[in-house]
């Protein structure tokens, strides 16, 4: 019988098992690594998707991505041109949201939902999206690693990426649906595309003469690869407008690479072709998506992105042309870099004179990615802070792999300089790695980029050490004992610290971190209050009985106003809170916050919260619509604020703030950030007071002072608006928060140092206090303890004018009190207001709480959760002052209907 497997003339040799293993072993290994990455990132799925299909998310920005994704599902494939549901009374432009990232998630939801997905379907896709993006980052990481260090290097780089337990993992966990993980994916793809394009240029050596001859056959491969590289850059910019930073990195690379080529006598035209074609194409692609025809900040799709891309493309063409002129004229090559630097300085000077906004934008954004200093307001954002200890941070993020990556970079620099082939992709990786490292040392969040850099550089180290290629890898007998020993040792150094088996080690493993993640605490704490606001307040456009809801459709599309100041219709209103909570208010309450996590209006919110009187707080709110772009409100005197308020148009007078929401963190540890945005710091709000230690000693310890108690924030949060005229508590959350100040002794009790001032007693703080109390070397004082609801919602009303006459001397104090109950929590409290008797025996005061409900949500008002237990009790103190021991005389009661507090009506006793 004839052997059917026998080789026939002209037929291919049957693939043997070793041959198949050689060709395809990386595929199942890579698939397993990607599956592991997806598994570690989705372990906590059940914590984010509830049984009823609703979701909670981790972080703040994911809530706004949720909004833009839902908008895109409704309006596919368009993203919103202008957001009117945030940044009241102006609206806001959100180019760094509603980007390709959200479009891809919305498209996936539409595909899964067969074109008409339910909200539950969208929710599941949205929650899982970061884990999928995170696993996909492994693909370009492998391809980059494979090009630098062979298949084993590529697989090792993915394995490292899969085991890094730090920022990259956290930004790609289920429920953390933010653009960071998509940034990482598309940056890696863009760098990979340039590595491929540069290698194609080196292999085919394109020249200017081929371009002139239109030699498409000879140019096809480098042109195609260059166009793909430009497309990859555009994808990155469409995902995050600040991705223009990669154009700057590429500009530096091309400047160095082309200069080096001229210095050593290489032809620079191949590398220049890649730069000209790729960045010219990228500029053309991003130009149609420009939303601001000027040079705005890097987070806005403005002329900045295409202009910088075109500038680098032109720079590449110019440097190649100049290099050719240098060669033709026989000028000493050493003068070429001098000429380039001189031309660059002149070009920068001309640009600074002709386009100062462009230069300002570039320098401002450069400070965000290089450690040359950051503003105080930027440093209030935890993810934008530099690491406290850079070495410890790198070890915690990457184990020993960071240091081996540095070694690989040094070796790649040596290779680029010494290897006559001058592999320009090595120089690209080195400059890319250096820049990303600088970013991570400037803002800790950029470690999600650095993870890929560290993984890829280690792939090159494996390739450098072993020179493993296809001729060696499939035959184990070809590996010498020394090779195997070095391989095992190197892989142990890479991976053992990440498992972990030896030190130094990260603080947790990827499996532990993936399981430990959970929803953002603020989102859960605020959920009830935001849900209450949505159900018990009129929709924007319906306040006071207006019928303009349709003009503010939640998924409506609004053109960009010329002055970026949306004309809100009558009946609309804003919600004042700190910027951290703006997205929660937009999404959970479907109401319009004044300030938001874009840090829009953060300064004016701080000016309101730190106002030292109700009068000043009111002036700040009235000046909001006309103070945009001028000096910060916190710098204005009361007279200047009043003048601004008088400048309001009828339209601007309509754009009122109606609600104020305050939580425990604003009153506690976030107060320092609020004072920073208000132009100061904690200093004016801290002093000393006498307290008793656990040993019974009376000491002077740091504490909040009267200036803090006088702030609008404190009067609302702790005092329930007692004594205020225009603010009434309408809801408080079920949960409560305990506060305390903590000080410890130093120098054998001679001095006391603050550990906490008016801070929330979270479990971690409680544990810290317990450890201090157990320390025999320190004495501890815990004081200023108090407890109140975690989140409080206030309504801003006109206030009823309560008047009457009494038989009492001029200057006597009249007091009105009403007992109130927060029905949701059952807590009772007393509101008090006072006034002085005039020469005619009359008094007048303004009060914000009603004793009779006669307005409803359907009529355009609030269904308050706080009710009066009876009428106002009116008393008079017939002495000149209300000193302790004086007797008050009851002079009557007063019923105040809700219509009176809304319309500012007068109520007599």
């Amino acid at each position: 019988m004839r052997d059917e497997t026998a080789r026939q003339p002209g037929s291919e040799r049957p693939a043997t098992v070793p041959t198949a293993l050689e060709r395809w072993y990386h595929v199942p290994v890579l698939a397993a690594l990607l599956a592991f990455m997806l598994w570690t990132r989705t372990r906590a799925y059940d914590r984010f998707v509830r049984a009823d299909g609703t979701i909670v998310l981790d972080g703040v920005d994911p809530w706004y991505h949720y909004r833009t994704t839902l908008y895109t599902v409704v309006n596919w494939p368009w993203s919103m041109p202008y957001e009117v549901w945030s940044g009241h009374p102006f609206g806001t432009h959100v180019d760094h949201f509603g980007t390709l990232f959200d479009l891809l998630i919305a498209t996936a939801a539409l595909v899964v939902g067969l074109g008409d997905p339910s909200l539950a379907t969208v929710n599941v896709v949205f929650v899982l999206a970061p884990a999928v993006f995170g696993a996909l980052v492994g693909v370009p990481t492998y391809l980059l690693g494979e090009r630098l260090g062979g298949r084993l290097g590529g697989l090792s780089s993915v394995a490292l990426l899969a085991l890094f337990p730090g920022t990259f993992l956290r930004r790609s966990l289920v429920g953390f649906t933010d653009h960071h993980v998509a940034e990482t994916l598309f940056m890696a793809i863009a760098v990979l595309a340039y590595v491929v394009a540069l290698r194609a240029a080196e292999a085919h050596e394109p020249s200017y003469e081929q371009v002139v001859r239109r030699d498409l056959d000879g140019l096809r491969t480098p042109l195609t690869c260059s166009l793909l590289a430009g497309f990859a850059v555009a994808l990155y910019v469409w995902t995050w407008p600040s991705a223009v930073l990669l154009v700057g990195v590429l500009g530096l690379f091309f400047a160095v690479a082309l200069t080096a080529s001229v210095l050593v006598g290489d032809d620079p035209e191949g590398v220049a072709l890649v730069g000209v074609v790729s960045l010219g194409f990228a500029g053309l692609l991003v130009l149609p998506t420009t939303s601001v025809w000027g040079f705005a900040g890097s987070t806005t799709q403005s002329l900045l992105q295409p202009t910088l891309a075109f500038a680098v493309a032109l720079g590449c063409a110019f440097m190649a042309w100049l290099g050719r002129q240098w060669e033709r004229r026989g000028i000493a090559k050493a003068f070429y870099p001098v000429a380039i630097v001189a031309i660059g300085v002149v070009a920068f000077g001309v640009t600074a004179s002709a386009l100062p906004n462009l230069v300002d934008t570039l320098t401002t954004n450069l400070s965000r990615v290089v450690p040359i200093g950051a503003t105080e307001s930027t440093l209030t954002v935890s993810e934008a802070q530099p690491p406290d200890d850079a070495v410890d941070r790198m070890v915690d993020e990457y184990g020993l792999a960071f240091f081996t990556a540095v070694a690989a970079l040094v070796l790649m620099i040596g290779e680029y300089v010494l290897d006559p082939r001058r592999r320009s992709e090595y120089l690209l990786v080195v400059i890319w790695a250096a820049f990303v490292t600088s970013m991570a040392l400037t803002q800790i969040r950029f470690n999600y980029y650095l993870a890929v850099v560290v993984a890829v550089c280690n792939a090159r180290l494996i390739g450098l050490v072993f020179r493993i290629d296809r001729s060696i890898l499939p035959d184990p007998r070809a590996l010498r004992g020394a090779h195997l020993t070095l391989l095992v040792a190197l892989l142990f150094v890479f991976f053992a610290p990440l498992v972990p088996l030896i030190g130094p080690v990260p603080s947790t493993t990827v499996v532990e971190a993936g399981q430990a993640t959970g929803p953002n605490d603020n989102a859960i704490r605020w959920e009830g209050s935001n849900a209450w606001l949505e159900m018990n307040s009129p929709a924007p456009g319906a306040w006071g009985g207006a019928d303009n809801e349709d003009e503010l459709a939640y998924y409506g599309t609004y053109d960009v106003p010329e002055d970026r100041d949306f004309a809100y219709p009558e009946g609309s209103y804003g919600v004042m809170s700190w910027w951290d909570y703006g997205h929660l208010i937009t999404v959970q309450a479907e109401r319009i916050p004044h300030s938001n996590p874009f840090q829009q209006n953060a300064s004016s919110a701080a000016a309101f919260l730190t106002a030292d009187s109700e009068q000043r707080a009111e002036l700040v709110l009235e000046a909001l619509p006309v103070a945009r772009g001028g000096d910060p409100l916190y710098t204005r005197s009361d007279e200047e604020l009043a003048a601004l308020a008088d400048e309001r148009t009828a339209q601007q007078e309509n754009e009122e703030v109606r609600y104020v929401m305050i939580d425990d963190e604003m009153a506690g540890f976030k107060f320092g950030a609020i004072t920073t945005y208000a132009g100061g710091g904690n200093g004016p709000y801290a002093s000393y007071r006498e307290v008793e230690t656990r040993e019974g000693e009376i000491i002077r310890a740091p504490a909040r002072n009267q200036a803090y108690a006088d702030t609008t924030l404190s009067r609302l949060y702790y005092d329930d608006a007692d004594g205020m005229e225009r603010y009434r508590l309408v809801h408080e959350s079920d949960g409560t928060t305990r506060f305390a100040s903590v000080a410890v002794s130093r120098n054998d009790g001679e001095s006391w140092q603050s550990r906490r001032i008016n801070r929330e007693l979270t479990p971690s703080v409680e544990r810290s206090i317990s450890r201090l109390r157990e320390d025999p070397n320190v004495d501890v004082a815990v004081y200023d303890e108090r407890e109140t609801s975690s989140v409080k919602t206030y309504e801003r009303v006109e206030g009823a004018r309560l008047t009457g006459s009494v038989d009492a001397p001029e200057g006597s104090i009249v007091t009105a009190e009403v007992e109130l109950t927060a029905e949701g929590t059952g807590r009772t409290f007393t509101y008090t207001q006072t006034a002085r008797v005039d020469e005619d025996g009359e008094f007048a005061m303004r009060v914000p709480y009603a004793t009779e409900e006669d307005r409803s949500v359907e009529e355009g008002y609030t269904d308050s959760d706080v009710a009066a237990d009876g009428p106002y009790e009116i008393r008079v103190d017939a002495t000149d002052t209300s000193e302790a021991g004086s007797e008050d005389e009851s002079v009557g009661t007063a019923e105040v209907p809700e219509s009176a507090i809304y319309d500012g009506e007068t109520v007599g006793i």
Side-chain angles (χ1 to χ4, degrees):
M1 181 180 294
R2 188 165 66 95
D3 185 357
E4 296 295 334
T5 64
R7 186 181 182 190
Q8 301 298 315
S11 66
E12 295 292 333
R13 180 177 179 179
T16 63
V17 172
T19 303
L21 181 62
E22 172 191 356
R23 291 179 177 175
W24 302 108
Y25 79 94
H26 61 290
V27 175
V29 176
L30 178 60
L33 289 171
L34 298 180
F36 174 76
M37 292 178 70
L38 186 62
W39 174 73
T40 56
R41 284 158 172 76
T42 56
R43 298 191 68 203
Y45 169 82
D46 291 341
R47 296 179 185 173
F48 295 93
V49 179
R50 296 168 172 150
D52 62 358
T54 60
I55 60 174
V56 286
L57 300 169
D58 187 11
V60 174
D61 285 349
W63 286 99
Y64 197 77
H65 277 293
Y66 183 58
R67 164 149 172 76
T68 51
T69 298
L70 289 174
Y71 176 92
T72 304
V73 169
V74 174
N75 298 277
W76 194 90
W78 310 110
S79 61
M80 65 176 67
Y82 198 71
E83 170 62 289
V84 304
W85 282 79
S86 192
H88 187 275
F90 312 111
T92 187
H93 203 280
V94 287
D95 275 344
H96 52 308
F97 288 81
T99 62
L100 179 63
F101 175 62
D102 306 276
L103 175 60
L104 290 173
I105 298 174
T107 303
L110 286 165
V111 171
V112 173
L114 301 178
D116 186 22
S118 65
L119 180 61
T121 298
V122 177
N123 288 349
V124 169
V125 173
F126 187 81
V127 166
L128 289 174
V132 175
F133 274 96
L136 289 176
V137 174
V139 176
T141 300
Y142 168 78
L143 295 173
L144 276 169
E146 188 268 340
R147 287 187 171 269
L148 295 177
R151 289 180 180 174
L152 183 59
L155 293 174
S156 298
S157 65
V158 179
L160 281 172
L161 189 68
L163 291 174
F164 288 152
T167 302
F168 172 69
L169 173 70
R170 291 192 294 272
R171 300 302 169 110
S172 58
L173 288 172
V174 62
F176 197 94
T177 315
D178 204 346
H179 51 264
H180 301 156
V181 65
E183 292 173 41
T184 307
L185 175 63
F186 288 108
M187 175 184 263
I189 290 174
V191 174
L192 170 65
Y194 271 92
V195 168
V196 172
L198 290 169
R199 190 168 291 186
E202 291 171 354
H204 293 80
E205 297 182 347
S207 65
Y208 174 72
E209 285 73 19
Q210 286 180 289
V211 175
V212 173
R213 295 197 312 269
R214 298 182 181 179
D215 181 10
L216 295 182
D217 289 336
L219 293 173
R220 180 174 289 108
T221 298
L223 280 177
T224 301
C225 292
S226 298
L227 290 171
L228 289 174
F231 180 64
V233 170
L235 288 175
Y236 185 24
V237 173
W238 288 335
T239 301
W240 187 49
S242 295
V244 69
L245 64 90
L246 181 61
V247 177
V249 173
L250 293 170
L252 179 60
F253 158 73
F254 283 116
V256 175
L258 293 172
T259 301
S261 296
V262 173
L263 283 174
V264 299
D266 291 341
D267 185 356
E269 293 178 356
V271 174
L273 177 73
V274 174
V276 172
V277 173
S278 64
L279 289 168
F281 187 51
L284 290 174
L285 289 175
V286 300
L287 185 61
T289 61
T290 298
S291 59
V292 176
W293 295 94
F295 298 106
S298 65
T299 58
T300 300
Q301 292 278 18
S302 69
L303 288 178
L304 173 67
Q305 288 82 5
T307 298
L308 193 57
F310 290 141
V312 175
L314 289 173
C316 290
F318 173 77
M319 289 185 68
W321 171 84
L322 188 64
R324 176 167 288 208
Q325 300 304 311
W326 224 258
E327 181 180 1
R328 286 178 177 176
R329 299 173 186 274
I331 304 174
K333 296 175 181 177
F335 291 112
Y336 182 82
V338 177
I340 291 297
V341 171
I343 293 170
V345 170
V346 172
F348 180 82
V350 172
T351 304
S353 299
L355 299 171
N357 289 341
L358 173 60
V359 174
D360 288 345
T361 299
L362 291 174
T363 54
T364 298
N365 287 283
L366 184 63
S367 66
R368 298 179 180 179
V369 295
V370 294
I372 60 176
T375 63
E376 290 185 0
S377 57
T378 298
L379 294 177
T380 64
V381 184
S382 58
E383 68 176 22
Q385 297 173 357
D388 293 331
D389 187 303
V391 174
D392 286 349
R393 183 77 189 197
M394 294 302 109
V395 170
D396 203 45
E397 292 269 354
Y398 314 110
L400 296 178
F402 175 78
F403 305 101
T404 52
V406 172
L409 287 172
V410 173
L411 291 172
M412 274 192 279
I413 293 172
E415 279 193 297
Y416 176 77
V417 172
L418 300 176
D419 191 336
R421 291 179 296 175
R422 206 77 54 202
R423 299 284 288 274
S424 54
E425 67 261 33
Y426 294 168
L427 178 63
L428 172 62
V429 170
V430 168
I431 292 176
W432 172 53
F435 196 82
V436 170
T437 302
S438 173
M439 293 170 65
L441 294 176
T442 305
Q443 297 188 24
I444 55 176
R445 70 189 182 107
F446 288 127
N447 275 284
Y448 54 74
Y449 285 144
L450 189 56
V452 175
V453 170
V454 171
V456 167
C457 289
N458 277 294
R460 183 57 191 159
L461 185 61
I462 291 178
L464 287 169
V465 171
F466 298 102
R467 302 288 182 183
I468 295 177
D469 57 30
R470 294 181 180 179
S471 65
I472 298 177
L473 183 59
D475 187 358
R477 293 171 298 179
L479 290 173
R480 299 177 181 176
H483 282 153
L484 290 174
T485 301
L486 286 172
L487 177 62
V488 171
L490 189 61
L491 294 180
F492 186 75
V493 168
F494 287 163
F495 297 112
L498 299 174
V499 174
L501 295 175
I502 62 172
V505 300
S507 57
T508 187
T509 66
V510 290
V511 177
E512 294 168 341
Q515 181 61 42
T517 188
N520 178 264
D521 289 340
N522 285 334
I524 295 175
R525 289 188 305 107
W526 277 66
E527 190 172 27
S529 295
N530 282 327
W532 181 91
L533 185 63
E534 181 183 14
M535 297 297 296
N536 295 278
S537 66
W543 176 268
D547 188 21
N548 295 315
E549 283 185 71
D550 293 343
E551 295 185 38
L552 284 175
Y554 190 64
Y555 294 117
T557 300
Y558 306 92
D559 294 331
V560 181
E562 289 186 9
D563 56 357
R564 299 299 182 92
D565 187 354
F566 182 74
Y568 284 89
E570 182 182 0
S572 60
Y573 57 88
V575 179
M576 175 62 73
S577 190
W578 189 228
W579 66 258
D580 291 27
Y581 308 104
H583 293 340
L584 296 179
I585 294 169
T586 297
V587 178
Q588 291 182 343
E590 295 192 9
R591 295 298 181 264
I592 309 173
H594 170 67
S595 188
N596 51 47
F598 310 134
Q599 280 102 62
Q600 182 188 14
N601 301 328
S603 178
S604 51
F608 170 81
L609 294 169
T610 59
D612 58 6
S613 68
E614 183 177 8
Q615 177 190 17
R616 182 170 178 81
E618 283 296 292
L619 290 172
V620 167
L621 295 185
E622 291 171 0
L624 287 180
V626 294
R628 190 183 191 190
D631 293 334
L633 291 177
Y634 65 79
T635 66
R636 310 289 186 98
S637 66
D638 289 359
E639 291 74 18
E640 290 173 319
L641 292 174
L644 286 173
D646 290 341
E647 295 175 12
R648 288 179 297 171
T649 64
Q651 167 67 39
Q652 291 170 332
E653 289 179 353
N654 245 350
E655 299 172 336
E656 295 271 15
V657 168
R658 294 291 182 185
Y659 297 93
V660 179
M661 301 184 76
I662 296 185
D663 80 335
D664 48 4
E665 292 185 350
M666 293 165 64
F669 84 91
K670 287 182 178 177
F671 183 70
I674 294 172
T675 60
T676 297
Y677 275 91
N682 269 312
Y685 304 97
S687 58
Y688 289 85
R689 56 162 292 183
E690 291 186 349
V691 299
E692 185 176 352
T693 73
R694 66 178 177 183
E695 303 296 334
E697 180 185 359
I698 302 299
I699 63 164
R700 281 174 53 80
R704 290 284 183 221
N705 59 16
Q706 187 60 42
Y708 173 79
D710 289 340
T711 63
T712 301
L713 185 155
S714 178
R715 295 184 69 188
L716 292 176
Y717 187 71
Y718 289 117
D719 300 339
D720 298 317
D722 191 38
M724 301 182 77
E725 296 180 338
R726 297 197 59 184
Y727 296 86
R728 66 166 182 165
L729 180 70
V730 290
H731 180 263
E732 61 182 20
S733 61
D734 292 337
T736 61
T737 300
R738 293 194 303 124
F739 294 82
S741 297
V742 182
V744 296
S745 64
R746 287 289 181 266
N747 306 320
D748 295 326
E750 293 181 7
S751 63
W752 286 78
Q753 183 181 34
S754 170
R755 280 297 180 89
R756 304 280 192 277
I757 296 182
N758 196 60
R759 284 290 298 274
E760 315 91 278
L761 292 181
T762 62
S764 61
V765 174
E766 295 272 23
R767 288 192 296 270
S768 175
I769 294 174
S770 296
R771 286 193 295 269
L772 286 171
R773 283 173 167 161
E774 294 169 0
D775 187 345
N777 299 315
V778 299
D779 195 2
V780 181
V782 181
Y783 49 99
D784 288 345
E785 296 185 73
R786 46 188 167 180
E787 183 173 358
T788 190
S789 296
S790 300
V791 184
K792 293 186 176 183
T793 302
Y794 287 85
E795 182 181 19
R796 181 172 174 243
V797 295
E798 286 297 317
R801 190 169 181 266
L802 196 60
T803 65
S805 60
V806 294
D807 184 13
E810 180 182 355
S812 298
I813 295 178
V814 178
T815 301
E817 286 186 349
V818 63
E819 297 293 323
L820 301 157
T821 298
E823 296 175 347
T825 61
R827 182 177 70 92
T828 60
F829 61 98
T830 302
Y831 169 81
T832 303
Q833 186 59 279
T834 61
R836 286 193 179 271
V837 177
D838 65 16
E839 59 184 4
D840 297 323
E842 297 180 348
F843 70 89
M845 63 180 71
R846 194 170 293 276
V847 296
Y849 285 98
T851 60
E852 297 176 347
E853 297 181 1
D854 61 356
R855 294 288 175 90
S856 66
V857 174
E858 292 73 23
E859 295 174 292
Y861 299 96
T862 307
D863 183 7
S864 176
D865 193 46
V866 176
D869 296 336
Y872 281 87
E873 297 286 344
I874 314 298
R875 304 187 310 275
V876 63
D877 175 10
T879 62
D880 290 340
T881 62
S882 56
E883 296 176 354
S886 63
E887 295 184 2
D888 293 344
E889 177 186 351
S890 177
V891 295
T893 62
E895 295 283 0
V896 178
E898 276 189 318
S899 56
I901 68 168
Y902 282 121
D903 299 334
E905 295 173 352
T906 298
V907 176
I909 64 169

